Amino acid sequence: MLLLVCLMAATGAAAQSRPASAASSDWPVVAELPGMGRAIDTAATAARRRALARRIGTGTVLIPAAHERDLERDYVQDNDFRQHNTFFYFTQLEAKDAWLLLTVRGTEELDAVLFLPPRNPARERWTGLALGPDSVAARLTGIATVLPTDSLDRRLQRAAFLGPRPMYVPLDVTTRDETRVVDAVFTGRDVRNLRPVVDSMRLFKDADEIARLRRAMDASVAGHVAAMRSARPGMYEYELEAALEAGFRRSGADRMGYPSIVGSGPNGTTLHYDVNRRQTRDGDLVVIDAAAEWGQYTADITRTFPVNGRFTARQKAIYDLVLATQQAAFDSIKVGETTMRQLNQISREYMKAHSDTLCGEQTCETFYIHSLGHWIGMDVHDVGDYSTPLQPGMTFTLEPGIYLPDEGLGVRIEDCVLITAEGPVWLSASAPRTTADVERVMAEGRRARGGR
Ligand code: GLY
Ligand code: MN
Ligand code: MN
């Protein structure tokens, strides 16, 4: 009884309290400065929390935010912070070192508590403004109860004794801090991995996620077009990469969705080549597999183009077979029926049947050495079960390729697709896709440079 009273007193009316170390009220808040923060779609995040509650029925869910990565130890060349996807999915908050605690008692009762580190003006001089545990955070996130992180342990002790079971934690978070908290409170209890539940939710994108993906697509397309327009024989791969990534960033991308692959000539036959140091030669094809991330969501787009702006007959023949294979897969999609595994098979059969003598004694499908595609979302290879039939809200890539190392010739064409109730739609097809479109955009680039 005494334990119960102490726990209640310790965790009671602290909601939206200002911690002792909080900065003065006129200290600015990151999310309220123009351009610093992005608005949180509080309706979308609340709906996701409710959907999670419906899935699990009962339980206590603890989700940590990411920490700042270490400049010396982690080789942080892009950003020193990217939020954990699970935390972002339920909060859209880019705060460091935060926690989300959800208590679910039947599908109607969901209690959410956000824990944020106290503000520290001295630290913020180094690392930038931060949200603190106060009413501003509550308003911005739509989570009414926001507490300082030093009250997390007490809250968790209470949850461990009195909270609904089982406990759910995303077990892919393994830093010392998270392990300490989870071990201290949950050892010996029924602790389950939250990830399979969340992964199955993430497979179906809501309107907010689709809007983010579209922003990522637009920025990515701008980068691919910029790279094509800048291309000329003799350029180094990294010069193309610079034009590409400038195009992404000019369009507001937060970072690259994954390391940019710019493979010219023989390097185009190495699937994940990202050294990008070779000097291109007249006659080379260049495979660029690169995309922008926007608002935690990434595109995944590949384009292949001749560095001199004109496909040879041989290059065009291989390109057109890859393009037709991609289109055949798209055209085969039956909403609610087809699976990614089936589409992969369809694409292989199509390429095999249409190879003619293009790839010599063998059919070109022999040189299509990867599978057709994968889910996309917050991860470039996003989460979810590949045996699920394609249904509205699902997003994925279609990316057939043919790689002929003996000729130093590789072609991959990769676009992203959204399934809607009316059928599949391309998300990235505004990037030049046919050989005629590619040549036209490259010719425009040459003209803009005065013919050079
Ligand atoms: N960019 C990685 C992939 O296409 O899977
Ligand atoms: Mn891909
Ligand atoms: Mn790709």
Side-chain angles (χ1 to χ4, degrees):
M1 187 57 168
L2 181 63
L3 173 70
L4 182 63
V5 172
C6 290
L7 287 169
M8 300 286 267
T11 55
Q16 301 177 36
S17 67
R18 222 165 243 281
S21 57
S24 66
S25 59
D26 57 0
W27 189 256
V29 172
V30 63
E32 295 198 318
L33 291 179
M36 287 288 285
R38 291 221 173 92
I40 291 172
D41 185 338
T42 53
T45 50
R48 291 174 202 159
R49 294 193 295 270
R50 283 196 303 275
L52 176 66
R54 281 196 297 278
R55 297 262 184 139
I56 65 173
T58 180
T60 301
V61 180
L62 179 65
I63 305 172
H67 309 295
E68 188 171 279
R69 291 184 291 160
D70 187 309
L71 189 68
E72 277 82 19
R73 201 189 53 201
D74 298 326
Y75 300 94
V76 195
Q77 283 93 343
D78 51 352
N79 305 87
D80 58 10
F81 180 77
R82 183 181 184 276
Q83 188 56 278
H84 285 329
N85 288 336
T86 309
F87 187 88
F88 190 86
Y89 188 67
F90 291 111
T91 65
Q92 287 184 3
L93 192 59
E94 295 185 86
K96 300 164 190 168
D97 308 323
W99 297 80
L100 178 68
L101 181 65
L102 303 175
T103 308
V104 181
R105 285 193 179 82
T107 52
E108 294 309 308
E109 201 185 329
L110 168 67
D111 177 40
V113 184
L114 176 67
F115 296 86
L116 288 172
R119 296 194 67 194
N120 180 339
R123 185 179 144 91
E124 289 182 17
R125 291 293 298 273
W126 286 81
T127 55
L129 301 172
L131 265 189
D134 53 35
S135 58
V136 176
R139 178 166 52 77
L140 292 173
T141 60
I143 297 174
T145 308
V146 184
L147 300 176
T149 38
D150 60 11
S151 59
L152 176 67
D153 279 4
R154 286 195 305 276
R155 272 274 172 154
L156 284 179
Q157 292 292 349
R158 184 171 76 155
F161 283 105
L162 304 175
R165 315 266 171 92
M167 312 280 189
Y168 289 92
V169 188
L171 289 178
D172 55 337
V173 289
T174 52
T175 68
R176 214 171 343 126
D177 193 29
E178 281 117 27
T179 308
R180 177 190 63 74
V181 172
V182 171
D183 285 356
V185 182
F186 292 168
T187 297
R189 299 179 199 281
D190 181 3
V191 180
R192 301 190 189 169
N193 189 2
L194 182 65
R195 281 296 304 269
V197 185
V198 178
D199 291 359
S200 67
M201 294 170 68
R202 283 174 51 189
L203 185 52
F204 299 88
K205 273 67 180 175
D206 62 27
D208 168 79
E209 294 181 284
I210 291 166
R212 286 167 188 270
L213 277 166
R214 286 190 184 279
R215 292 285 298 259
M217 299 291 157
D218 291 348
S220 304
V221 169
H224 277 273
V225 168
M228 282 181 198
R229 287 174 61 98
S230 75
R232 55 190 158 68
M235 275 179 101
Y236 283 86
E237 291 166 344
Y238 53 74
E239 294 179 90
L240 287 165
E241 183 182 16
L244 172 84
E245 295 186 356
F248 296 166
R249 292 291 272 158
R250 280 202 186 102
S251 307
D254 295 323
R255 55 178 73 81
M256 309 308 128
Y258 51 91
S260 299
I261 294 164
V262 183
S264 63
N267 293 337
T269 68
T270 302
L271 300 183
H272 282 180
Y273 168 85
D274 61 6
V275 180
N276 304 350
R277 284 187 202 141
R278 178 178 176 271
Q279 187 173 23
T280 63
R281 296 195 192 147
D282 201 2
D284 283 346
L285 281 183
V286 182
V287 176
I288 295 191
D289 182 344
E293 181 183 294
W294 192 93
Q296 196 89 1
Y297 287 74
T298 186
D300 186 3
I301 300 176
T302 306
R303 286 294 181 266
T304 303
F305 57 85
V307 73
N308 65 15
R310 278 172 294 270
F311 288 88
T312 65
R314 167 98 183 127
Q315 289 168 346
K316 179 169 164 49
I318 299 281
Y319 188 102
D320 283 344
L321 178 57
V322 175
L323 185 63
T325 301
Q326 189 201 39
Q327 189 65 43
F330 180 90
D331 293 341
S332 306
I333 295 170
K334 292 196 182 68
V335 177
E337 288 181 35
T338 323
T339 64
M340 286 296 275
R341 290 208 176 93
Q342 288 166 341
L343 276 191
N344 180 48
Q345 200 50 37
I346 288 166
S347 72
R348 310 197 87 79
E349 281 160 16
Y350 182 94
M351 190 182 281
K352 194 170 185 174
H354 293 81
S355 288
D356 202 1
T357 56
L358 259 185
C359 295
E361 309 262 288
Q362 294 169 294
T363 59
C364 292
E365 184 260 351
T366 314
F367 303 96
Y368 171 16
I369 55 174
H370 50 78
S371 60
L372 176 65
H374 51 83
W375 312 132
I376 49 155
M378 287 192 279
D379 288 312
V380 63
H381 296 162
D382 209 33
V383 294
D385 177 357
Y386 277 93
S387 63
T388 315
L390 297 172
Q391 293 160 69
M394 293 168 84
T395 52
F396 54 92
T397 68
L398 295 178
E399 51 176 306
I402 296 174
Y403 309 92
L404 304 169
D406 292 349
E407 292 179 54
L409 191 164
V411 174
R412 177 161 67 256
I413 304 169
E414 176 173 28
D415 284 285
C416 299
V417 175
L418 163 70
I419 301 290
T420 73
E422 288 72 46
V425 293
W426 295 108
L427 289 173
S428 54
S430 58
R433 193 160 155 265
T434 63
T435 55
D437 284 345
V438 169
E439 290 184 347
R440 180 180 48 74
V441 166
M442 295 187 75
E444 284 166 11
R446 267 198 313 279
R447 274 197 299 280
R449 295 196 304 270
R452 285 173 295 115

